Amino acid sequence: MRGWRVGVPGEAHPALAAAAVAALDAYTAATAEHDRATLAAVVADGADGTPTMRIDVLVEDAILGALARHPVNVLTEETGWVDHGSALTLVIDPVDGSANAAAGVPLAAFSAAVAEDGVFTEALTVWLDTGRSWWARAGEPSPLRTSGRTALSGAAVSLLRPHTADPGAGAAWWEVARRAARVRILSTSCLEGALVAQGATDAFADAATDTHRLVDIAASVVLAEAAGGAVRDVFGRAVELDTDLTRRWSGVVAATPELADELATVLREACQAGRDG
Amino acid sequence: MRGWRVGVPGEAHPALAAAAVAALDAYTAATAEHDRATLAAVVADGADGTPTMRIDVLVEDAILGALARHPVNVLTEETGWVDHGSALTLVIDPVDGSANAAAGVPLAAFSAAVAEDGVFTEALTVWLDTGRSWWARAGEPSPLRTSGRTALSGAAVSLLRPHTADPGAGAAWWEVARRAARVRILSTSCLEGALVAQGATDAFADAATDTHRLVDIAASVVLAEAAGGAVRDVFGRAVELDTDLTRRWSGVVAATPELADELATVLREACQAGRDG
């Protein structure tokens, strides 16, 4: 339907494909076998210091098991950096949208990018509830095409949920909601990034809350750029490979560079105005 | 997975089942054959005076064709009231989440309730992008079970998008976002209502914008009540069968009567405070 693939594409790097297949299998088994409370239970602190749910651990463990045969480095949500001395690094979010996944809201994704000598070259996002996938390799023709929209006025924008207790971030969120034609909160950054690459929505943004880790936006960089879009950080920081998972961004994924720049500017200025009261 | 059905249940009323099957087939064909602009084109004014997209007409026409052999009354989004002198009325939203459907955001639903002599007795919501369905008949045991949550604090709440230009509705939206643990905007009322019945989210609400028509919430009344939940209107109006599609509600679908009442009260009071400045 509409050019969406189901399953893992044959052109994907073997390590990327192996990780995705392991994630799909583990996710399907975990959600069939465990109830919501079990899946949502906090069982560890992740590599970035934030709490980890059991669903995250179950899927990540399956991925790392599948990758044992592949000589690549891995940077992943819970375990962090696993260095195998390779020129290739997989940047993986085993379960993007963990809260959705644990609760039974069917919007969760496996998402990973391949970095070659520090440059993102390939990405795959798989909607774990349906098997639909989005794949691209930098510099190669892709069937993905963004909407091409260049202005926030009239745009359909996905946002992370508002941080109502932060006057700056709260004002930034509201300003985008005020200017956009449509606002959605799907609570799954990687799937929302894929929908921008697919042309189904015009943009996705973290409204200046510095919530995004690299694993939340790395795949969207490759997918969006292959489809004619662009990724920015609200505060102008480069979205680049870094093994320090405590780094944060306020990512903006948009249909065009113009829209990405406008969204980043609107969010940054509204955030500053909100902080200044 | 998790007790979700795929397809139309065998226990459903034959007219309800026929309508759902026709909707699934027509939606699949329409989204495969037409591009976004064609699906989103406004081709008519609906029975309630709001614009109708081509995707709505294509699916509704297929439903009405399938129902020609069934001697029931029909109340539907675009055509309005079709009286066949029956004690049974189907209240149908052919494509809930039309904007999602036209754009390619895979969150759209067929949703319908059966009213017998004016009382809602059965409902079926089908996620058109996947075929998953939620069905219940009033007074019969159901596998659907809400989360049981009784308080807004800590709750995961789905909301319609905020109406930022309306000080009352804007304040009401923000107040729920401030009190809830999670906020989502999936832009499909019927699917969000089904997720409450399923226990995946705690509540869904129209934040005092009077956007809901009967077709947007009728099925949620049956599904939520069968699962232990409740439906309210923010301003206390009864959600009841009425063939006048210009009537509007600010619907609240919640895991328990307590949570429904709290949400309606919070929304009403915040809306009033916002209006008063």
Side-chain angles (χ1 to χ4, degrees), chain B residues 2 6 16 38 41 49 81 85 110 112 114 122 134-136 153 156 177 181 193 202 210 213 218 263:
Chain B
R2 296 174 169 186
V6 173
L16 187 59
T38 304
W81 170 243
F110 163 89
V114 178
E122 185 181 337
W134 295 260
W135 175 85
S153 173
D202 298 311
D210 278 5
R213 299 152 305 175
L263 257 170

Side-chain angles (χ1 to χ4, degrees), chain A residues 2 36 100-101 104 184 198, chain B residues 2 36 100-101 104 184 198:
Chain A
R2 296 176 168 183
R36 290 188 184 93
N100 286 349
R184 295 183 180 91
Q198 175 78 24
Chain B
R2 296 174 169 186
R36 291 189 182 93
N100 286 349
R184 296 182 180 91
Q198 177 77 27

Side-chain angles (χ1 to χ4, degrees), chain A residues 1-2 4 27-28 30-32 34 36 39 53 55 99-107 127-130 132 145 161-165 169-171 173-174 177-187 195 198-201, chain B residues 1-2 4 27-28 30-32 34 36 39 53 55 99-107 127-130 132 145 161-165 169-171 173-174 177-187 195 198-201:
Chain A
M1 215 159 85
R2 296 176 168 183
W4 277 3
Y27 181 85
T28 303
T31 53
H34 300 295
R36 290 188 184 93
L39 294 172
M53 293 184 190
I55 178 76
N100 286 349
V105 175
L107 295 168
W127 182 5
L128 291 167
D129 305 276
T130 66
R132 282 182 176 172
R145 185 68 50 233
R161 68 183 176 86
H163 286 204
T164 54
W173 196 97
W174 198 251
R178 203 179 66 73
R179 294 186 186 218
R182 295 188 180 280
V183 173
R184 295 183 180 91
I185 306 174
L186 306 187
S187 299
L195 290 173
Q198 175 78 24
T201 62
Chain B
M1 214 158 83
R2 296 174 169 186
W4 277 4
Y27 181 84
T28 303
T31 53
H34 299 295
R36 291 189 182 93
L39 294 172
M53 293 182 189
I55 179 76
N100 286 349
V105 175
L107 296 168
W127 183 5
L128 291 169
D129 305 277
T130 67
R132 283 181 176 171
R145 185 69 49 232
R161 68 184 175 84
H163 286 203
T164 55
W173 196 98
W174 198 251
R178 202 179 67 73
R179 294 187 185 216
R182 295 187 180 280
V183 173
R184 296 182 180 91
I185 306 174
L186 306 188
S187 299
L195 289 172
Q198 177 77 27
T201 62

Side-chain angles (χ1 to χ4, degrees), chain B residues 72-74 81-86:
Chain B
V72 295
N73 313 323
V74 181
W81 170 243
V82 181
D83 187 352
H84 285 120
S86 172

Side-chain angles (χ1 to χ4, degrees), chain B residues 9-272:
Chain B
E11 313 96 305
H13 187 283
L16 187 59
V21 168
L24 265 168
D25 290 348
Y27 181 84
T28 303
T31 53
E33 288 165 18
H34 299 295
D35 64 13
R36 291 189 182 93
T38 304
L39 294 172
V42 173
V43 292
D45 276 345
D48 63 346
T50 57
T52 299
M53 293 182 189
R54 181 171 283 111
I55 179 76
D56 298 313
V57 172
L58 289 170
V59 176
E60 175 158 330
D61 285 354
I63 291 170
L64 293 178
L67 287 177
R69 275 160 288 155
H70 295 268
V72 295
N73 313 323
V74 181
L75 181 67
T76 186
E77 195 176 7
E78 320 308 338
T79 306
W81 170 243
V82 181
D83 187 352
H84 285 120
S86 172
L88 285 193
T89 296
L90 295 195
V91 178
I92 303 178
D93 193 346
V95 183
D96 176 66
S98 302
N100 286 349
V105 175
L107 296 168
F110 163 89
S111 188
V114 178
E116 294 185 37
D117 294 324
V119 178
F120 296 121
T121 55
E122 185 181 337
L124 173 63
T125 292
V126 181
W127 183 5
L128 291 169
D129 305 277
T130 67
R132 283 181 176 171
S133 68
W134 295 260
W135 175 85
R137 189 178 285 139
E140 292 185 11
S142 168
L144 295 173
R145 185 69 49 232
T146 72
S147 68
R149 188 176 290 274
T150 54
L152 177 53
S153 173
V157 181
S158 287
L159 292 170
L160 293 189
R161 68 184 175 84
H163 286 203
T164 55
D166 176 338
W173 196 98
W174 198 251
E175 184 62 17
V176 170
R178 202 179 67 73
R179 294 187 185 216
R182 295 187 180 280
V183 173
R184 296 182 180 91
I185 306 174
L186 306 188
S187 299
T188 163
S189 296
C190 298
L191 211 47
E192 290 171 295
L195 289 172
V196 174
Q198 177 77 27
T201 62
D202 298 311
F204 163 64
D206 171 344
T209 64
D210 278 5
T211 299
H212 280 149
R213 299 152 305 175
L214 190 63
V215 296
D216 298 313
I217 45 172
S220 292
V221 171
V222 179
L223 295 176
E225 291 182 355
V231 172
R232 299 284 188 268
D233 170 72
V234 170
F235 301 103
R237 297 160 295 199
V239 180
E240 61 192 3
L241 183 64
D242 191 321
T243 58
D244 175 6
L245 272 181
T246 65
R247 271 186 76 179
R248 288 290 187 279
W249 288 265
S250 290
V252 174
V253 183
T256 59
E258 295 86 343
L259 180 55
D261 288 335
E262 182 182 354
L263 257 170
T265 301
V266 166
L267 285 164
R268 188 173 58 250
E269 291 181 355
C271 180
Q272 190 60 53

